[in-house]
Amino acid sequence: MLKTHEVALGSRYPDGKIVGWPLKRRVFSFFSNLLARFLISWKIADYTNGFRFYSRQAAELMARTPQQNKGYIYLSETLALFLTHSYRIGSFPIVFVNRERGVSNTSLKEIFSALKGI
């Protein structure tokens, strides 16, 4: 973990890389993150990536704060919580490789749930 941060994010944007995503998923991810940046804070580039490291302090805050939303939007919700408490959030670029097996959990219902959560 970055020693000066309570949260470290593996980030696909702007300097990371995405391998094997179809155009539809790239566009959806781009606009999801753009909306979160507009509504929450421009300080974070990749709200929807779950590759994260939390300090003990950050993990304890998450544990004692009731979760408001279910699904992927919880990733953005936790970052908003940390920003509200003035936690330092750092990021580092990652290479995100699309899965070779299974299917995405993203559905129209999940998208509407995320919009409602934001």
Side-chain angles (χ1 to χ4, degrees):
M1 171 161 312
L2 303 172
K3 290 184 179 185
T4 61
H5 296 83
E6 284 82 24
V7 180
L9 306 173
S11 185
R12 299 165 291 185
Y13 312 109
D15 299 322
K17 186 176 179 183
I18 299 171
V19 177
W21 265 9
L23 180 61
K24 178 180 172 182
R25 188 158 179 203
R26 284 181 188 266
V27 169
F28 177 70
S29 177
F30 173 81
F31 283 110
S32 297
N33 277 289
L34 186 63
L35 179 62
R37 292 179 80 199
F38 179 75
L39 294 173
I40 302 171
S41 172
W42 290 98
K43 294 178 184 179
I44 297 171
D46 194 353
Y47 278 90
T48 60
N49 191 356
F51 188 70
R52 301 169 177 198
F53 297 93
Y54 302 107
S55 68
R56 173 182 227 119
Q57 181 183 5
E60 288 171 351
L61 176 63
M62 287 173 51
R64 68 176 179 267
T65 304
Q67 184 177 343
Q68 300 296 314
N69 298 284
K70 303 285 183 203
Y72 292 119
I73 192 61
Y74 183 64
L75 295 170
S76 300
E77 180 184 328
T78 57
L79 292 177
L81 173 69
F82 297 138
L83 290 168
T84 301
H85 283 82
S86 300
Y87 280 25
R88 294 160 299 189
I89 302 171
S91 66
F92 56 94
I94 63 166
V95 176
F96 183 90
V97 180
N98 195 31
R99 72 172 63 89
E100 293 182 16
R101 295 185 181 141
V103 295
S104 174
N105 292 328
T106 304
S107 65
L108 201 52
K109 181 180 177 183
E110 182 69 32
I111 292 168
F112 285 124
S113 174
L115 289 173
K116 180 181 173 190
I118 289 179

